[in-house]
Amino acid sequence: MKDNIDFKQYWNKQKIETPAPKELIKKANEFKRKTRFKLIAANLVLLATCMGISFIWFYYQPEFLTTKIGIVLCIIAMLIYLAFHNTLAPLLLNHSLELDTKTQLKQLITLKEKQRFQQTTLLNGYFILLSLGLGLYMYEYVVRMRLPWAIFSYGSVLFWIAINAFYFRPKIIKKQQTQLDKLITQLKDFKAQLTD
Amino acid sequence: MTFEDIHKTYWPKVYRQCIGYINDPDAAKDLTQETFIKVWQQLPKFRNESSIGTWIFRIAVNTCLGQIRKDKKMPKSELPMGLVAEVLEDKEPEMQFLYQCISELPEIERIIIALELEDLKQKEIAKIVGLSEINVRVRIHRIKEKLTKKFQKNER
């Protein structure tokens, strides 16, 4: 039985085909374009929605203060979402890769824990602001309706809000949390392997 | 050094690093590619604070550690049978066995031994993973012991 096995000899027997770098550069460019496109698309969609809502304000000239507050709340909700998306998203994509593993893991864990907190808070905030905004915005138009219609209008909006609050919101939060928790556990496991 | 030179010199090294980590040729190819995409993107930002080799291996190691997290979603047992059979082909049995043994080690040990087998200095390995040189030396010694035992058991 050998005690001194030459592992390097076996290690280097691995067959390797080096592909042409041209293909790689093409793929890298594609990736860059796609990432940028996604960021721009998210911005455009939400900004267009904000503009659409503002347009209502200027075109229909609502009389009640509640309507205006409602519009402002909806816009604030979307702008906060965008601000988060634009600052944290690139950070998550381009975090320093060239740090040593130990430092990098430490940084990544902090970042992911921050993300876990922010995702939940952000989603809750976004949801509350949007629901409140919508409720206030509707008021002016609902008071002009007859009672059964008013009840029906508010009833259906409240129903929609309730579905979001008690079904979609916890579901999304749970999904995000489970993924992040799994990731953080694994990162911590790697970090534990690196303790002296 | 141009990107083309780096690519030519380091592709095989990074590929071995990745396949040592994951022991699956296709996944290793993807990881190597991902590493080089990052190298290509970050190359203009590279300042000669460390050697280019250390820098590239750091990116490779961090890419590997990032990958296993995605991979855990799909345990090996769920892979179609054909894929597993392909890996177990009977070419160079010692080499196959070595790569298999390495892939069974804890993640950080896989990385350290792969760097050692790639002929990196222990000082450089220490810089890549963020441990002290002494710690790296001790770990390499222990890992080699583990591998030797596995090889001896296999010979029996």
Side-chain angles (χ1 to χ4, degrees), chain A residues 1-3 5 7-8 10-21 24-25 27-29 31 97-102 104 108 182-183 186-187 190 193-196, chain B residues 3 7 11-12 15-16 33 36 38 40 55 58 61-62 65 68-69 72 92 94-95 98-99 106-108 116-119 127-131 135 139 147-148 151-152:
Chain A
M1 244 182 294
K2 283 185 282 181
D3 253 345
I5 303 165
F7 293 121
K8 277 182 193 169
Y10 300 143
W11 178 256
N12 287 319
K13 275 188 183 157
Q14 184 66 250
K15 263 196 194 154
I16 295 153
E17 286 164 44
T18 311
L24 193 87
I25 293 174
K27 270 197 183 140
N29 277 327
F31 176 76
L97 282 161
E98 62 265 44
L99 290 169
D100 69 69
T101 313
K102 206 174 178 180
Q104 207 245 0
L108 210 56
K182 218 164 129 189
L183 194 80
Q186 276 187 23
L187 289 174
F190 292 158
Q193 287 182 37
L194 274 168
T195 15
D196 299 293
Chain B
F3 177 73
H7 182 269
W11 182 279
Y15 178 79
R16 276 193 295 265
Q33 186 171 294
F36 276 92
K38 287 171 188 164
W40 183 77
W55 183 71
R58 269 183 181 171
V61 165
N62 291 335
L65 286 178
I68 199 78
R69 303 191 293 254
K72 287 227 166 143
E92 304 284 355
E94 290 97 344
M95 179 205 82
L98 174 69
Y99 279 88
E107 288 86 353
I108 301 296
E116 156 75 11
L117 293 175
E118 210 46 69
D119 253 342
K127 262 193 205 161
I128 291 169
V129 293
L131 289 169
N135 195 296
R139 281 178 191 235
L147 291 177
T148 309
F151 266 74
Q152 287 170 342

Coordinates of all heavy atoms in Angstrom, one line a residue, chain A residues 1-3 5 7-8 10-21 24-25 27-29 31 97-102 104 108 182-183 186-187 190 193-196, chain B residues 3 7 11-12 15-16 33 36 38 40 55 58 61-62 65 68-69 72 92 94-95 98-99 106-108 116-119 127-131 135 139 147-148 151-152:
Chain A
M1 N 0.8 -1.2 0.0 CA 0.0 0.0 0.0 C 0.9 1.3 0.0 O 1.8 1.4 0.8 CB -0.9 0.0 1.2 CG -2.3 -0.1 0.8 SD -3.4 0.0 2.3 CE -2.9 -1.6 3.0
K2 N 0.6 2.2 -0.9 CA 1.4 3.4 -1.0 C 1.0 4.4 0.0 O -0.2 4.6 0.3 CB 1.2 4.0 -2.4 CG 2.0 3.3 -3.5 CD 1.9 4.0 -4.8 CE 0.6 3.7 -5.4 NZ 0.4 4.4 -6.7
D3 N 2.0 5.0 0.6 CA 1.7 6.1 1.6 C 1.9 7.5 0.9 O 1.2 8.4 1.3 CB 2.7 6.0 2.7 CG 2.0 5.5 4.0 OD1 0.7 5.5 4.0 OD2 2.7 5.0 4.9
I5 N 1.2 9.0 -2.2 CA 0.5 9.0 -3.5 C 0.7 10.3 -4.2 O 0.5 11.4 -3.6 CB -1.0 8.7 -3.4 CG1 -1.2 7.4 -2.6 CG2 -1.7 8.6 -4.7 CD1 -2.6 7.1 -2.1
F7 N -0.8 12.8 -6.0 CA -2.1 13.2 -6.4 C -2.0 14.2 -7.6 O -2.9 14.2 -8.4 CB -2.8 13.9 -5.2 CG -3.2 13.0 -4.1 CD1 -2.7 13.2 -2.8 CD2 -4.0 11.9 -4.3 CE1 -3.0 12.4 -1.8 CE2 -4.4 11.1 -3.3 CZ -3.9 11.3 -2.0
K8 N -0.9 14.9 -7.6 CA -0.8 15.9 -8.7 C -0.8 15.3 -10.1 O -1.4 15.8 -11.0 CB 0.5 16.8 -8.5 CG 0.3 17.9 -7.5 CD 1.4 18.8 -7.3 CE 1.2 19.6 -6.1 NZ 2.4 20.4 -5.6
Y10 N -2.4 12.6 -11.0 CA -3.8 12.2 -11.3 C -4.6 13.5 -11.6 O -5.4 13.5 -12.6 CB -4.5 11.4 -10.2 CG -3.8 10.1 -9.8 CD1 -3.7 9.7 -8.5 CD2 -3.2 9.3 -10.8 CE1 -3.1 8.5 -8.1 CE2 -2.6 8.1 -10.5 CZ -2.6 7.8 -9.1 OH -1.9 6.6 -8.8
W11 N -4.3 14.5 -10.8 CA -5.0 15.8 -11.0 C -4.9 16.3 -12.4 O -5.8 16.8 -13.0 CB -4.5 16.7 -9.9 CG -5.1 18.1 -10.0 CD1 -4.5 19.2 -10.5 CD2 -6.4 18.5 -9.5 NE1 -5.4 20.3 -10.3 CE2 -6.5 19.9 -9.7 CE3 -7.4 17.8 -8.9 CZ2 -7.6 20.6 -9.4 CZ3 -8.6 18.5 -8.5 CH2 -8.7 19.9 -8.8
N12 N -3.7 16.3 -12.9 CA -3.4 16.9 -14.2 C -3.8 16.0 -15.4 O -3.7 16.4 -16.5 CB -1.9 17.2 -14.3 CG -1.5 18.4 -13.4 OD1 -2.3 19.3 -13.4 ND2 -0.4 18.3 -12.7
K13 N -4.3 14.8 -15.1 CA -4.8 14.0 -16.2 C -6.2 14.4 -16.7 O -6.6 13.9 -17.7 CB -4.8 12.5 -15.8 CG -3.5 11.8 -15.9 CD -3.6 10.4 -15.7 CE -2.2 9.7 -15.7 NZ -2.2 8.4 -15.0
Q14 N -6.8 15.3 -16.0 CA -8.1 15.7 -16.4 C -8.1 16.3 -17.9 O -7.3 17.2 -18.1 CB -8.6 16.8 -15.5 CG -10.0 17.3 -15.7 CD -11.1 16.2 -15.4 OE1 -11.7 15.7 -16.4 NE2 -11.2 15.8 -14.2
K15 N -8.9 15.8 -18.7 CA -8.9 16.3 -20.1 C -9.7 17.6 -20.2 O -10.8 17.7 -19.7 CB -9.6 15.2 -21.0 CG -8.6 14.3 -21.7 CD -9.3 13.6 -22.8 CE -8.5 12.5 -23.3 NZ -9.4 11.4 -23.9
I16 N -9.1 18.5 -20.9 CA -9.7 19.8 -21.0 C -9.7 20.4 -22.4 O -8.6 20.4 -23.1 CB -9.0 20.8 -20.1 CG1 -9.2 20.4 -18.6 CG2 -9.6 22.2 -20.2 CD1 -8.1 20.8 -17.7
E17 N -10.8 20.8 -22.8 CA -10.9 21.5 -24.1 C -11.1 23.0 -23.8 O -12.0 23.4 -23.2 CB -12.1 21.1 -25.0 CG -11.9 19.7 -25.6 CD -13.2 19.1 -26.0 OE1 -14.0 19.9 -26.6 OE2 -13.5 18.0 -25.7
T18 N -10.2 23.8 -24.3 CA -10.3 25.2 -24.1 C -11.1 25.8 -25.3 O -10.6 25.8 -26.4 CB -8.9 25.9 -24.0 OG1 -8.2 25.2 -23.0 CG2 -9.1 27.4 -23.5
P19 N -12.3 26.4 -25.0 CA -13.0 27.0 -26.1 C -12.4 28.3 -26.6 O -11.6 28.9 -25.9 CB -14.4 27.2 -25.5 CG -14.2 27.3 -24.0 CD -12.9 26.5 -23.7
A20 N -12.9 28.8 -27.7 CA -12.4 30.0 -28.2 C -12.9 31.2 -27.4 O -14.1 31.2 -27.0 CB -12.8 30.2 -29.7
P21 N -12.0 32.2 -27.1 CA -12.4 33.3 -26.2 C -13.5 34.1 -26.9 O -14.3 34.8 -26.2 CB -11.2 34.1 -26.0 CG -10.2 33.6 -27.0 CD -10.6 32.2 -27.4
L24 N -16.9 33.4 -25.7 CA -17.1 33.9 -24.3 C -17.4 35.4 -24.2 O -18.3 35.8 -23.5 CB -15.8 33.6 -23.5 CG -15.9 33.7 -22.0 CD1 -16.4 32.4 -21.5 CD2 -14.6 34.1 -21.4
I25 N -16.7 36.1 -25.0 CA -16.9 37.6 -25.0 C -18.3 37.9 -25.5 O -19.0 38.8 -25.0 CB -15.8 38.3 -25.9 CG1 -14.4 38.1 -25.2 CG2 -16.1 39.7 -26.1 CD1 -13.2 38.6 -26.0
K27 N -20.9 36.0 -25.2 CA -21.8 35.7 -24.1 C -21.8 36.7 -23.0 O -22.9 37.1 -22.5 CB -21.5 34.3 -23.5 CG -22.2 33.2 -24.3 CD -22.2 32.0 -23.5 CE -22.9 30.9 -24.3 NZ -22.3 29.6 -24.2
A28 N -20.6 37.2 -22.7 CA -20.5 38.2 -21.7 C -21.2 39.5 -22.1 O -21.9 40.1 -21.2 CB -19.0 38.5 -21.4
N29 N -21.1 39.9 -23.3 CA -21.8 41.1 -23.8 C -23.3 40.9 -23.7 O -24.0 41.8 -23.4 CB -21.4 41.4 -25.2 CG -20.1 42.2 -25.3 OD1 -19.8 42.9 -24.3 ND2 -19.3 41.9 -26.3
F31 N -25.0 39.0 -21.7 CA -25.4 39.0 -20.3 C -25.5 40.4 -19.8 O -26.5 40.8 -19.2 CB -24.3 38.2 -19.5 CG -24.6 38.2 -18.0 CD1 -25.6 37.5 -17.5 CD2 -23.8 39.0 -17.2 CE1 -25.8 37.5 -16.1 CE2 -24.1 39.1 -15.8 CZ -25.1 38.3 -15.3
L97 N -15.9 40.5 -6.2 CA -15.6 39.1 -6.4 C -14.2 38.8 -6.1 O -13.8 37.7 -5.8 CB -15.9 38.8 -7.9 CG -17.3 38.6 -8.2 CD1 -17.5 38.7 -9.7 CD2 -17.8 37.2 -7.7
E98 N -13.4 39.8 -6.1 CA -11.9 39.6 -6.0 C -11.4 39.6 -4.5 O -10.3 39.6 -4.3 CB -11.1 40.5 -6.9 CG -11.2 41.9 -6.6 CD -12.3 42.6 -7.4 OE1 -13.4 42.0 -7.6 OE2 -12.0 43.7 -7.9
L99 N -12.4 39.7 -3.6 CA -12.0 39.6 -2.2 C -11.6 38.2 -1.8 O -12.1 37.2 -2.5 CB -13.1 40.0 -1.3 CG -13.5 41.5 -1.3 CD1 -14.8 41.7 -0.6 CD2 -12.4 42.3 -0.7
D100 N -10.8 38.0 -0.7 CA -10.6 36.6 -0.3 C -11.9 36.0 0.2 O -12.8 36.7 0.6 CB -9.4 36.5 0.7 CG -9.8 37.1 2.0 OD1 -10.6 36.5 2.7 OD2 -9.3 38.2 2.4
T101 N -11.9 34.7 0.2 CA -13.2 34.0 0.4 C -13.8 34.3 1.8 O -15.0 34.6 1.9 CB -12.9 32.5 0.4 OG1 -12.2 32.2 -0.8 CG2 -14.2 31.7 0.3
K102 N -12.9 34.4 2.8 CA -13.4 34.7 4.1 C -14.1 36.0 4.2 O -15.3 36.2 4.7 CB -12.3 34.6 5.1 CG -12.7 34.3 6.5 CD -11.4 34.1 7.4 CE -11.8 33.8 8.8 NZ -10.6 33.6 9.6
Q104 N -15.2 37.8 1.7 CA -16.3 37.9 0.8 C -17.5 37.2 1.4 O -18.6 37.8 1.3 CB -15.9 37.1 -0.5 CG -16.7 37.7 -1.7 CD -17.6 36.6 -2.3 OE1 -17.6 35.5 -1.8 NE2 -18.3 37.0 -3.4
L108 N -21.0 39.0 2.1 CA -22.2 38.5 1.5 C -23.3 38.2 2.5 O -24.5 38.4 2.2 CB -21.9 37.2 0.7 CG -22.7 36.9 -0.6 CD1 -22.6 38.1 -1.5 CD2 -22.2 35.7 -1.2
K182 N -32.1 29.9 3.3 CA -31.3 28.7 2.9 C -29.9 29.2 2.5 O -28.9 28.6 2.9 CB -32.0 28.1 1.7 CG -32.0 26.6 1.6 CD -33.0 26.1 0.6 CE -32.5 25.2 -0.4 NZ -33.4 24.9 -1.4
L183 N -29.9 30.3 1.7 CA -28.7 30.8 1.3 C -27.8 31.3 2.4 O -26.6 30.9 2.5 CB -29.0 32.0 0.4 CG -27.9 32.5 -0.5 CD1 -27.8 31.7 -1.7 CD2 -28.1 34.0 -0.9
Q186 N -26.3 28.4 4.3 CA -25.2 27.8 3.6 C -23.9 28.6 3.6 O -22.8 28.1 3.9 CB -25.6 27.6 2.1 CG -26.3 26.3 1.9 CD -26.5 26.0 0.5 OE1 -25.8 26.5 -0.4 NE2 -27.6 25.2 0.2
L187 N -24.1 30.0 3.5 CA -23.0 30.9 3.6 C -22.3 30.8 5.0 O -21.1 30.8 5.1 CB -23.4 32.3 3.3 CG -23.8 32.6 1.9 CD1 -24.3 34.0 1.8 CD2 -22.6 32.5 0.9
F190 N -20.2 27.7 5.2 CA -18.9 27.9 4.5 C -18.0 28.7 5.4 O -16.8 28.4 5.6 CB -19.1 28.6 3.2 CG -19.8 27.8 2.2 CD1 -20.4 28.5 1.1 CD2 -19.9 26.4 2.2 CE1 -21.1 27.7 0.1 CE2 -20.6 25.7 1.3 CZ -21.2 26.4 0.2
Q193 N -16.6 26.8 8.2 CA -15.5 25.9 7.7 C -14.2 26.7 7.7 O -13.1 26.1 7.6 CB -15.8 25.3 6.3 CG -16.9 24.3 6.3 CD -17.1 23.8 4.9 OE1 -16.2 23.6 4.1 NE2 -18.4 23.5 4.6
L194 N -14.3 28.0 7.6 CA -13.1 28.8 7.5 C -12.6 29.3 8.8 O -11.6 30.1 8.8 CB -13.4 30.0 6.5 CG -13.2 29.7 5.1 CD1 -13.7 30.8 4.2 CD2 -11.7 29.5 4.7
T195 N -13.2 29.0 9.9 CA -12.7 29.5 11.2 C -11.4 28.7 11.6 O -11.4 27.5 11.4 CB -13.7 29.3 12.4 OG1 -14.7 28.4 11.9 CG2 -14.3 30.6 12.7
D196 N -10.4 29.4 12.1 CA -9.2 28.8 12.4 C -9.3 27.8 13.5 O -10.1 28.0 14.4 CB -8.2 29.9 12.8 CG -7.9 30.9 11.7 OD1 -7.3 30.5 10.7 OD2 -8.3 32.0 11.8
Chain B
F3 N -6.7 39.7 -22.5 CA -7.7 38.7 -22.1 C -7.5 37.4 -22.8 O -7.6 36.3 -22.1 CB -9.1 39.2 -22.3 CG -10.2 38.2 -22.0 CD1 -10.5 38.0 -20.6 CD2 -10.9 37.5 -22.9 CE1 -11.4 37.0 -20.3 CE2 -11.8 36.5 -22.6 CZ -12.1 36.3 -21.2
H7 N -7.0 33.9 -20.9 CA -8.0 32.9 -21.2 C -7.2 31.6 -21.5 O -7.6 30.5 -21.0 CB -8.9 33.3 -22.3 CG -9.9 32.4 -22.7 ND1 -9.7 31.4 -23.7 CD2 -11.2 32.2 -22.3 CE1 -10.8 30.7 -23.8 NE2 -11.7 31.2 -23.0
W11 N -7.6 29.0 -18.4 CA -8.9 28.2 -18.6 C -8.7 26.8 -18.0 O -9.5 26.3 -17.2 CB -9.3 28.2 -20.1 CG -10.5 27.4 -20.3 CD1 -10.7 26.0 -20.4 CD2 -11.9 27.9 -20.3 NE1 -12.0 25.6 -20.5 CE2 -12.8 26.8 -20.5 CE3 -12.4 29.2 -20.3 CZ2 -14.1 26.9 -20.6 CZ3 -13.8 29.3 -20.4 CH2 -14.7 28.2 -20.5
P12 N -7.6 26.0 -18.4 CA -7.5 24.7 -17.9 C -7.4 24.6 -16.4 O -8.0 23.8 -15.7 CB -6.2 24.2 -18.5 CG -5.9 25.0 -19.6 CD -6.5 26.4 -19.3
Y15 N -10.8 25.4 -14.9 CA -11.7 24.3 -15.1 C -11.4 23.1 -14.1 O -12.3 22.6 -13.6 CB -11.5 23.7 -16.6 CG -12.4 22.5 -16.9 CD1 -13.7 22.7 -17.1 CD2 -11.9 21.2 -16.8 CE1 -14.6 21.6 -17.4 CE2 -12.7 20.2 -17.1 CZ -14.0 20.4 -17.3 OH -14.9 19.3 -17.6
R16 N -10.1 22.8 -13.9 CA -9.8 21.8 -12.9 C -10.3 22.2 -11.5 O -10.8 21.3 -10.8 CB -8.3 21.5 -12.9 CG -7.8 20.5 -14.0 CD -6.4 20.1 -13.8 NE -5.5 21.1 -13.8 CZ -4.8 21.4 -15.0 NH1 -5.0 20.7 -16.0 NH2 -3.9 22.4 -15.0
Q33 N -16.9 29.1 -17.4 CA -17.4 30.1 -18.3 C -17.8 31.3 -17.5 O -17.4 32.5 -17.8 CB -18.5 29.6 -19.1 CG -19.0 30.5 -20.2 CD -19.9 29.9 -21.1 OE1 -19.6 28.9 -21.8 NE2 -21.2 30.3 -21.0
F36 N -14.9 33.2 -16.2 CA -14.2 34.0 -17.2 C -15.0 35.2 -17.7 O -14.4 36.3 -18.1 CB -13.7 33.2 -18.4 CG -12.4 32.5 -18.1 CD1 -12.3 31.3 -17.5 CD2 -11.2 33.2 -18.3 CE1 -11.1 30.7 -17.2 CE2 -10.0 32.7 -18.0 CZ -9.9 31.4 -17.4
K38 N -16.8 36.9 -15.7 CA -16.5 37.9 -14.6 C -15.1 38.5 -14.8 O -14.9 39.7 -14.6 CB -16.7 37.3 -13.2 CG -18.1 37.0 -12.8 CD -18.2 36.2 -11.6 CE -19.6 35.7 -11.3 NZ -19.7 34.6 -10.3
W40 N -13.5 38.8 -17.5 CA -13.5 39.8 -18.7 C -14.2 41.1 -18.3 O -13.7 42.2 -18.7 CB -14.3 39.1 -19.8 CG -14.4 39.9 -21.1 CD1 -13.4 40.1 -22.0 CD2 -15.4 40.7 -21.5 NE1 -13.8 40.9 -23.0 CE2 -15.0 41.3 -22.7 CE3 -16.7 41.0 -21.0 CZ2 -15.8 42.2 -23.4 CZ3 -17.5 41.9 -21.7 CH2 -17.1 42.5 -22.9
W55 N -5.8 36.7 -8.3 CA -7.1 37.4 -8.6 C -8.1 36.5 -9.3 O -9.2 36.4 -8.9 CB -6.7 38.6 -9.5 CG -7.8 39.5 -9.8 CD1 -8.5 40.3 -8.9 CD2 -8.4 39.7 -11.1 NE1 -9.5 41.0 -9.6 CE2 -9.5 40.6 -10.9 CE3 -8.2 39.1 -12.3 CZ2 -10.3 41.0 -12.0 CZ3 -9.0 39.6 -13.4 CH2 -10.0 40.5 -13.2
R58 N -9.3 33.7 -7.0 CA -10.3 34.3 -6.1 C -11.7 34.3 -6.7 O -12.7 33.9 -6.2 CB -9.9 35.7 -5.7 CG -9.1 35.7 -4.4 CD -8.8 37.1 -4.0 NE -7.9 37.1 -2.8 CZ -7.4 38.1 -2.3 NH1 -7.5 39.3 -2.9 NH2 -6.6 38.0 -1.2
V61 N -13.0 30.7 -7.1 CA -13.5 30.1 -5.9 C -14.8 30.7 -5.4 O -15.7 30.0 -5.1 CB -12.4 30.4 -4.8 CG1 -13.0 30.1 -3.4 CG2 -11.2 29.5 -5.0
N62 N -14.9 32.1 -5.5 CA -16.1 32.7 -5.1 C -17.3 32.3 -6.1 O -18.4 32.2 -5.6 CB -16.0 34.2 -5.1 CG -15.1 34.6 -4.0 OD1 -14.9 33.9 -3.0 ND2 -14.4 35.8 -4.1
L65 N -18.3 28.8 -4.9 CA -19.1 28.8 -3.7 C -20.5 29.3 -3.9 O -21.5 28.9 -3.3 CB -18.4 29.6 -2.6 CG -17.2 29.0 -2.0 CD1 -16.6 30.0 -1.0 CD2 -17.6 27.7 -1.2
I68 N -22.8 26.2 -5.7 CA -23.3 25.1 -4.9 C -24.6 25.5 -4.3 O -25.5 24.7 -4.1 CB -22.3 24.6 -3.8 CG1 -22.7 23.2 -3.3 CG2 -22.3 25.5 -2.6 CD1 -22.2 22.2 -4.3
R69 N -24.8 26.7 -4.0 CA -26.0 27.2 -3.4 C -27.2 27.0 -4.4 O -28.2 26.5 -4.0 CB -25.9 28.7 -3.0 CG -24.8 29.0 -2.1 CD -24.9 30.4 -1.5 NE -24.7 31.3 -2.6 CZ -23.6 32.1 -2.7 NH1 -22.6 31.9 -1.9 NH2 -23.5 33.0 -3.6
K72 N -27.9 23.1 -4.8 CA -28.5 22.3 -3.8 C -30.0 22.2 -4.0 O -30.7 21.3 -3.4 CB -28.3 23.0 -2.4 CG -26.9 22.7 -2.0 CD -26.8 22.3 -0.5 CE -25.4 21.8 -0.2 NZ -24.9 22.1 1.1
E92 N -9.0 6.4 -17.0 CA -8.2 6.8 -15.9 C -8.8 6.7 -14.6 O -9.2 7.6 -13.9 CB -7.9 8.3 -16.1 CG -7.2 8.7 -17.5 CD -5.7 8.3 -17.5 OE1 -5.2 7.8 -16.4 OE2 -5.1 8.4 -18.5
E94 N -7.8 6.1 -11.6 CA -7.3 6.8 -10.4 C -7.7 8.3 -10.4 O -8.0 8.9 -9.4 CB -5.7 6.8 -10.4 CG -5.2 5.4 -10.0 CD -4.8 4.6 -11.3 OE1 -5.2 5.1 -12.4 OE2 -4.1 3.7 -11.2
M95 N -7.6 8.9 -11.7 CA -8.0 10.3 -11.8 C -9.5 10.4 -11.4 O -9.8 11.3 -10.6 CB -7.8 10.7 -13.2 CG -8.2 12.2 -13.4 SD -8.6 12.5 -15.1 CE -10.3 12.0 -15.2
L98 N -9.8 10.2 -7.7 CA -9.3 11.4 -7.0 C -10.4 12.5 -7.0 O -10.7 13.1 -6.0 CB -8.0 11.9 -7.6 CG -7.5 13.2 -7.1 CD1 -7.0 13.1 -5.6 CD2 -6.4 13.8 -7.9
Y99 N -10.9 12.8 -8.2 CA -11.9 13.8 -8.3 C -13.2 13.5 -7.5 O -13.8 14.4 -7.0 CB -12.2 14.1 -9.8 CG -11.2 15.0 -10.5 CD1 -10.1 14.4 -11.1 CD2 -11.3 16.3 -10.5 CE1 -9.1 15.2 -11.7 CE2 -10.4 17.2 -11.1 CZ -9.3 16.6 -11.7 OH -8.3 17.4 -12.2
P106 N -15.7 18.5 2.6 CA -16.4 19.8 2.8 C -16.0 20.8 1.8 O -14.8 20.8 1.3 CB -16.0 20.2 4.2 CG -15.5 18.9 4.8 CD -15.0 18.1 3.7
E107 N -16.8 21.8 1.5 CA -16.6 22.7 0.4 C -15.2 23.4 0.5 O -14.5 23.5 -0.5 CB -17.7 23.8 0.3 CG -19.0 23.3 -0.2 CD -19.9 22.7 1.0 OE1 -19.4 22.5 2.1 OE2 -21.1 22.3 0.7
I108 N -14.9 24.0 1.6 CA -13.7 24.7 1.7 C -12.4 23.8 1.5 O -11.5 24.2 0.9 CB -13.6 25.5 3.1 CG1 -14.8 26.4 3.2 CG2 -12.3 26.3 3.2 CD1 -14.9 27.5 2.3
E116 N -4.0 23.6 -4.1 CA -2.7 22.9 -3.8 C -2.2 22.1 -5.0 O -1.1 22.1 -5.5 CB -2.8 22.1 -2.5 CG -1.8 21.0 -2.4 CD -0.4 21.5 -2.0 OE1 -0.3 22.6 -1.7 OE2 0.5 20.6 -2.0
L117 N -3.2 21.3 -5.5 CA -2.8 20.4 -6.6 C -2.5 21.2 -7.9 O -1.9 20.7 -8.8 CB -4.0 19.4 -6.9 CG -4.2 18.4 -5.7 CD1 -5.4 17.5 -6.0 CD2 -3.0 17.5 -5.6
E118 N -3.0 22.4 -7.9 CA -2.8 23.3 -9.1 C -1.4 23.9 -9.0 O -1.0 24.8 -9.8 CB -3.9 24.3 -9.2 CG -4.2 24.8 -10.6 CD -4.3 23.7 -11.6 OE1 -5.3 22.9 -11.6 OE2 -3.5 23.7 -12.5
D119 N -0.6 23.5 -7.9 CA 0.7 24.0 -7.7 C 0.8 25.4 -7.3 O 1.9 26.1 -7.5 CB 1.6 23.8 -9.0 CG 2.6 22.7 -8.8 OD1 2.8 22.3 -7.7 OD2 3.1 22.2 -9.8
K127 N -3.8 33.6 0.8 CA -4.3 34.9 0.3 C -5.7 34.7 -0.3 O -6.6 35.6 -0.2 CB -3.4 35.5 -0.7 CG -2.4 36.5 -0.1 CD -1.8 37.3 -1.2 CE -0.4 37.8 -0.8 NZ 0.4 38.1 -2.0
I128 N -5.9 33.7 -1.1 CA -7.1 33.5 -1.8 C -8.3 33.2 -0.8 O -9.4 33.8 -0.9 CB -7.0 32.3 -2.8 CG1 -6.0 32.8 -3.9 CG2 -8.4 31.9 -3.4 CD1 -5.6 31.7 -4.9
V129 N -8.1 32.3 0.1 CA -9.2 31.9 1.0 C -9.3 32.8 2.2 O -10.4 32.8 2.9 CB -9.2 30.4 1.4 CG1 -9.5 29.6 0.2 CG2 -7.9 30.0 2.1
G130 N -8.3 33.5 2.6 CA -8.3 34.4 3.8 C -8.0 33.6 5.1 O -8.5 34.0 6.1
L131 N -7.1 32.6 5.0 CA -6.7 32.0 6.2 C -5.2 32.3 6.4 O -4.5 32.8 5.5 CB -6.9 30.4 6.1 CG -8.3 29.9 6.1 CD1 -8.3 28.5 5.7 CD2 -8.9 30.1 7.5
N135 N -2.3 27.7 9.0 CA -3.6 27.1 8.9 C -3.7 26.3 7.6 O -4.2 25.2 7.6 CB -4.7 28.1 9.1 CG -6.0 27.5 9.4 OD1 -6.5 26.7 8.6 ND2 -6.5 27.7 10.6
R139 N -4.1 22.3 7.1 CA -5.3 21.8 6.4 C -4.9 20.9 5.3 O -5.5 19.8 5.1 CB -6.2 22.9 6.0 CG -7.1 23.5 7.1 CD -7.9 24.6 6.6 NE -8.5 25.4 7.7 CZ -9.8 25.6 7.8 NH1 -10.6 25.2 6.8 NH2 -10.3 26.3 8.8
L147 N -7.3 11.8 1.9 CA -7.3 11.3 0.5 C -6.5 10.0 0.4 O -6.9 9.0 -0.2 CB -6.8 12.3 -0.5 CG -7.7 13.5 -0.7 CD1 -7.0 14.5 -1.7 CD2 -9.0 13.2 -1.3
T148 N -5.4 10.0 1.1 CA -4.5 8.8 1.1 C -5.3 7.6 1.7 O -5.3 6.5 1.1 CB -3.2 9.0 1.9 OG1 -2.6 10.2 1.4 CG2 -2.2 7.9 1.7
F151 N -7.7 6.3 -0.8 CA -7.0 5.6 -1.9 C -6.6 4.2 -1.4 O -6.7 3.2 -2.1 CB -5.8 6.4 -2.4 CG -6.1 7.2 -3.6 CD1 -6.9 8.4 -3.4 CD2 -5.7 6.8 -4.9 CE1 -7.2 9.2 -4.5 CE2 -6.0 7.6 -6.0 CZ -6.8 8.8 -5.8
Q152 N -6.1 4.2 -0.2 CA -5.6 2.9 0.4 C -6.8 1.9 0.6 O -6.7 0.7 0.2 CB -4.9 3.1 1.7 CG -3.5 3.7 1.6 CD -2.9 4.2 2.9 OE1 -3.6 4.3 3.9 NE2 -1.6 4.4 2.9

